[in-house]
Amino acid sequence: MGNRVFLYLCTETEAAQGGGRPFAEAKNHFPPLWQLLLADGREGPANVAQRLPFLDTDTGNLIGDAAAARDRFSLLERYVVGHPQLDRIPGLALQFEAFRRYLDEEAALVRAGAADPDAPLWFSADLDELSWLDGDIDGFVERMAAQCGAFWRELQDAIAADRAGRVAELLEVQGPAWHAGEWSSWLWQFGFGGLDHPYFDQPERPRRIAFEAFEHDHYADQAALGHDRILFEADGLRGLRRRGEHDEHDRLQPGEVLIPAQWQDILDAGHEQRELYWVARQDRYGLLERHADGRVRLLLEPVLSEVDEFQALAPCALAAVRIGERAGLLQDDGGWRLAPEAASPPAQAIGRFSHGRACARSGERVGYLDTAGHWCVPPVYDAGGDFTGEGYVEVRRKGRFGLIDRDGATALEPQYDALEWNGDARAYLARRGRQCGWLHADGRAWVATEWDEIEAMPAGTAIRVRRKGRYGLLDWSGRECVAAAYRALDLDHETYDADAPVQREALRYVVRTGGRDGGLGMIDADGRELIPPVYDELSAFAAWIETGPGETADASGEAWRTPPHLIALRREVDGRGRRGAWDLRLGREVVPCAHDRVFAAALYRDGADIVVGYLVADELPGAEHEDEGYSRQRMQVLRADGSALHSGYAWIGVARPLDWSELSEIAQRLYRAWSADDAVEAVRSDDDGFEWLRRDGSRRGHVEWLAERYAAGDRDAALRLARELRDGYGVAADPVAARRWMARAAGIAADPPARRPGLLARLFGAADARWSPDAAAADGSADAMDELAAMLIDGVGGAPAPALARDWLEHLLDRVAPNHARAQIRLGHLLQNGIGGDADPERALRLFERAAAQAEPDALYNLGHAHEFGLGTAIDHERALDHYRRAAEIGDGDGAHRAGLVALRLGAHAGADRAAACAEAARWLRRAAEHDSYAGAHIAGSDLAALLVRGDGVERDVDEAERLWLAAAEGGHRGSIEHLLALYGDQDSERHDPERAAYWRQRR
């Protein structure tokens, strides 16, 4: 069944009550489509409609705004459909369009049943069963929300940088030929396949019609007989036809009629060589054959009460059938091998043949028929099983089991309470009372009947036995090689290869001892202790290269797996699970059980050898309360013997905090870099500074390393260094150096020739004067040019130089990247305000429009601002509101706030629907007030509170209004303080409180 997850579309009220309309379903994963839809998600009430009560882990649902989700999807759709590289993938554009239309249809249905049709809609995802796979239920929904946000940010960045290859990678599509063999699996993996609409049920190939032209094909729902035949009905009777082709409307067309619709029922007769069917009329079955040339012949008229599938037996196939109360054997030509009335004594039931014998019942007794239909074993037994390949079968008489051979001769007198064939051991499990043992196939004793439990280990490696709750091992001869002394004993499957000969000396067994201090340990096949039984968990280390290093890390093409002599350990220490590692070759705990996570990995390849070591990571006590920086975690790289290669780092291999599950990614980064004798980035734990680590244990400074990379021709290294020096990120902040490195990244030579300084040099410094865009190299970074302009505007690292900033932005948009949205917005701001040159609000407006076409929220906000205040265009509050709405829908807090205020202004006009305007204003103000990163969120909350107090467009709620004003007032908002004074100081107010009024009067 898998671990199911469910997505619902619902109103805000339904989301709060854990309800909603089913929208999609997935199994065992969190589809990227869902992550896109829930990128602004948070934990909300659980929808338990489809949860299993006995397995419910009580996680909440992940909920997110459906309108914002649609905008994000539309942005992605525009990019995918409009990009020449992605648009070549057949079917992809239609899928995106179909999803958008499906979402609109479902949203209309949800709104039609809602009390307020204009209320916002929400997506609500029940991920409860997915938390079972995660293993850590606490904070699971919050982690999924963070994953969704990170996915969307990465997708946004790839779209903004026009990195179609990265977009395709995130969508998990691989190019124009990708769809041919992987279409159906991709649909389910991405999330389209689980949508609750038949359009997205595409098992074979992409649809060729649009969503609105699709008609559900009920013909495709008919029952199938085989992969290319389906049943059909006509006038209440059934026939059989071949599965047809899809027409131009993508509907499955009826194929060739194989059997006319003349029968009550049609069943596949199960013949391996011929096309035979059981056909029914008046509740009786007959046998029909269809020939390759299309001829249909009835081999037996419908006279049979019950039928079974044919079995291939010499000289022809046979099927057990019944007529009334008697059973017989029918040949595949329609003739009788054993007519029901001919059997003596008569058979009432015949089972399947096993090694030429079929168990048959006559009255209350069973015997065996041969393939000629003769009783080779008379029906004298109470019960019987199936013959084995060795020629024996267990039978029961007078409550005891024994064995007979193919001719009915007794091989073992009935004496056991039970006999059960064990195919792995090729032996009978024999029971007397509660004791059991093994018998050879012919009944000879093998393992004495003195054990509570006996089981063959894989491929005859050993025999596991249990007595009085303790396990031991016997070798294959039945000799005891490990005494029955363990509470649990199992084979370490890492030491066993089903495709290779068994090497007993290489086998290991995981054991658990009894008693209060009993734990897990490891022994060899003769019971010698390899690991003392003191651990809570022993396991193999995860193999971090799944498809072979040829595709992931290692150009040699040889897959690397964690060596089997390295064992992952876990032990409870002071109530906390701690991890370590044991090396069986060294015979000791090389990494003590003192860490949160230990990961064994190939550190690098040195010639023909792979050097193995460990990544160790720890979360520091109290770190769960820290939200910023890397100080919550510590990481180190250990050599194979457990000694430290690199220690004292917050993270190694990446310059950002990551989830523990990404240690495998870090291992691969280490392997790729160190195998090439390159360095790997790390973050120091003492000061969050960056360093570069080498495989010999040495380290390099961050600035020095990036400077060398730039000197070797890597302008991206200069851009990164400039940003980090500017922001003080990983290095000490140095704005002057940051400005110089940003110029280098933009294409300015590191050491230009000296010349007589001109006016700009005398005003702004010699370096800036030489930083004319005309001197920039052709490979200068567009992002660096934009960010250099920002530094020149703001005076970061030197005196402000807005005129020079204008030159850089004009150069960038004219010669380097005409559609660079951030540069368009930045230049538009300079032109609108006359900074660094003459004002040109009309041109600024055009630049904002170009950036807004790329769904840039700042550009949309600026367009709204221009139309609201008449900057470069006439004042138009309707158009301003439209731009603010679009900015807010993408996630801009400023846009949401202004949308609320402009909606209120429009609602105040004569003839306007004030209630509707106030309701819309309240929605936008609430979104702004709840925005995590909007600096004016508390002011938006104050504006919303004014509506709540009056009940304008929303249900009156003085409690929430008071809470919002208090939050804004604590942040120093004077307007909110005045509101609180009015609330507490008015004697007629329901919140009259002189003491509080006095407090806020003092704060004023």
Side-chain angles (χ1 to χ4, degrees), residues 18 34 260 331 348 370 381 408 418 479 487 502 615 659 720 740 752 833 840 889 911 935 951 969-970:
W34 295 25
Q331 299 175 163
Q348 280 78 48
D370 61 19
Y381 296 101
R479 178 183 64 87
R487 287 178 52 202
V502 175
L615 301 181
D659 186 79
R720 176 179 173 182
R740 183 169 64 252
N833 296 281
D840 189 345
E889 287 167 350
E970 292 293 350

Side-chain angles (χ1 to χ4, degrees), residues 646-708:
H646 289 290
S647 61
Y649 293 92
W651 274 102
I652 297 171
V654 289
R656 65 183 188 277
L658 291 178
D659 186 79
W660 297 123
S661 62
E662 298 188 57
L663 283 175
S664 60
E665 178 187 339
I666 297 173
Q668 293 191 47
R669 290 180 184 224
L670 283 173
Y671 185 88
R672 282 193 291 265
W674 284 357
S675 292
D677 202 19
D678 203 350
V680 171
E681 187 176 5
V683 182
R684 292 190 302 269
S685 58
D686 54 354
D687 60 1
D688 286 356
F690 296 161
E691 285 186 341
W692 293 81
L693 311 181
R694 305 193 71 94
R695 72 187 195 184
D696 61 0
S698 62
R699 60 194 70 184
R700 300 287 298 282
H702 184 60
V703 174
E704 176 189 7
W705 179 264
L706 290 180
E708 289 181 7

Side-chain angles (χ1 to χ4, degrees), residues 553-689:
D554 184 357
S556 72
E558 298 178 5
W560 185 84
R561 295 291 185 269
T562 309
H565 65 275
L566 303 181
I567 306 298
L569 310 173
R570 182 183 178 278
R571 192 174 186 180
E572 198 81 10
V573 179
D574 296 329
R576 188 176 178 185
R578 313 298 281 161
R579 297 184 180 275
W582 189 283
D583 189 322
L584 290 170
R585 291 182 179 174
L586 297 178
R588 63 181 177 87
E589 191 181 74
V590 291
V591 181
C593 280
H595 304 284
D596 289 321
R597 191 60 55 99
V598 176
F599 194 85
L603 297 182
Y604 58 90
R605 179 180 287 276
D606 186 7
D609 299 325
I610 287 182
V611 177
V612 178
Y614 301 91
L615 301 181
V616 175
D618 292 291
E619 186 168 336
L620 300 185
E624 62 271 14
H625 303 298
E626 299 179 18
D627 298 325
E628 298 179 358
Y630 306 108
S631 55
R632 66 184 181 88
Q633 54 205 17
R634 292 289 182 271
M635 189 173 179
Q636 53 186 318
V637 182
L638 307 181
R639 299 181 179 88
D641 62 1
S643 60
L645 180 65
H646 289 290
S647 61
Y649 293 92
W651 274 102
I652 297 171
V654 289
R656 65 183 188 277
L658 291 178
D659 186 79
W660 297 123
S661 62
E662 298 188 57
L663 283 175
S664 60
E665 178 187 339
I666 297 173
Q668 293 191 47
R669 290 180 184 224
L670 283 173
Y671 185 88
R672 282 193 291 265
W674 284 357
S675 292
D677 202 19
D678 203 350
V680 171
E681 187 176 5
V683 182
R684 292 190 302 269
S685 58
D686 54 354
D687 60 1
D688 286 356

Side-chain angles (χ1 to χ4, degrees), residues 39 206 240 425 593 708 831 845:
L240 189 71
C593 280
E708 289 181 7
L831 292 168
L845 190 70

Side-chain angles (χ1 to χ4, degrees), residues 116 914-923 947 950-956:
D116 179 6
R914 176 170 172 75
C918 288
E920 179 179 7
R923 288 201 299 273
L947 296 179
R950 297 192 301 267
D952 284 345
V954 291
E955 184 177 350
R956 189 169 185 269

Side-chain angles (χ1 to χ4, degrees), residues 78 179 222 357 492 494 617 706 819 842 907 923 958 973:
R78 288 194 295 272
H179 75 283
Q222 296 293 326
R357 299 289 187 266
D492 177 7
E494 295 297 317
L706 290 180
N819 292 319
E842 290 81 7
R923 288 201 299 273
V958 179
H973 184 236

Side-chain angles (χ1 to χ4, degrees), residues 85 178 236 250 378-379 437 445 537 570 669-670 735 747:
Q85 178 178 338
W178 145 87
D250 211 31
E537 182 181 316
R570 182 183 178 278
R669 290 180 184 224
L670 283 173

Side-chain angles (χ1 to χ4, degrees), residues 781-805:
S781 165
D783 288 339
M785 294 178 188
D786 174 59
E787 294 182 43
L788 175 61
M791 298 177 78
L792 293 170
I793 293 168
D794 297 334
V796 176
L804 185 57

